[in-house]
Amino acid sequence: MSNEDIGYEDVKEYENLFTIAPAFIIERMLKKNRNFVLKFKSAIESHLTSLNEEEKAKLELIFKKDIEDLQAIMKEAYIKTNKRQYKVLSDPKYKQAIKSNLDELRKMVQ
C-alpha cells in the first residue's frame, strides 16, 4: 500500500472487523439505511482512541475516497475471499447507506 491510497491489502488486514457480523444482518441494516455508527458508538469511540498515526491516515483516505471506489475494493475482497459480507458492502444499491454511515463516522472523528 502506498501512503496515498487504500486497497484490498488494507481490507485484508482488518478482515475481522468486516466479517464480525453475519452478511444477512449487514444487508438488513443497509436495506433499512440504519446507522451502524450510532448503534455501535461506544465501541467505535473506544477503538478510535487507540488508533496509531498510520491507521488515522488510512481512515482519512477512506473519508476522501468516492463510495464507488470503496465498493470496488469490497468487490475485489469478495472475489478473493468469497466472504458474503464483502459482496453486500459492494452492492451499488447500498451506496447511500454506506455514505451516511461514513459521514456519521467522520463527525465522530472530528
Side-chain angles (χ1 to χ4, degrees):
M1 178 196 105
S2 77
N3 288 333
E4 300 197 15
D5 204 7
I6 57 170
Y8 169 70
E9 291 303 316
D10 300 299
V11 171
K12 183 178 172 185
E13 184 177 343
Y14 297 101
E15 186 170 285
N16 61 324
L17 296 175
F18 289 101
T19 59
I20 198 164
F24 76 92
I25 291 175
I26 294 171
E27 188 165 26
R28 185 178 303 149
M29 290 186 79
L30 289 173
K31 275 183 184 178
K32 295 179 178 182
N33 201 12
R34 292 278 167 93
N35 193 318
F36 287 91
V37 176
L38 290 179
K39 184 163 182 66
F40 300 104
K41 185 176 182 175
S42 61
I44 292 169
E45 286 174 335
S46 173
H47 185 70
L48 288 174
T49 61
S50 67
L51 295 178
N52 64 36
E53 291 306 312
E54 181 182 349
E55 292 167 330
K56 289 176 184 175
K58 285 180 185 179
L59 191 54
E60 282 301 316
L61 289 172
I62 291 168
F63 291 150
K64 292 177 183 177
K65 275 219 171 284
D66 290 333
I67 301 300
E68 293 89 355
D69 294 337
L70 294 172
Q71 287 187 301
I73 295 167
M74 293 293 113
K75 185 173 184 175
E76 178 184 357
Y78 173 66
I79 291 168
K80 290 183 177 189
T81 66
N82 206 33
K83 294 189 184 269
R84 199 160 134 57
Q85 291 90 334
Y86 295 133
K87 182 178 183 181
V88 170
L89 291 167
S90 71
D91 192 326
K93 69 184 170 191
Y94 301 129
K95 177 182 173 182
Q96 185 55 50
I98 292 169
K99 180 184 181 324
S100 297
N101 278 277
L102 282 175
D103 288 346
E104 194 66 38
L105 182 59
R106 184 181 293 115
K107 289 179 194 173
M108 286 179 66
V109 171
Q110 295 174 344

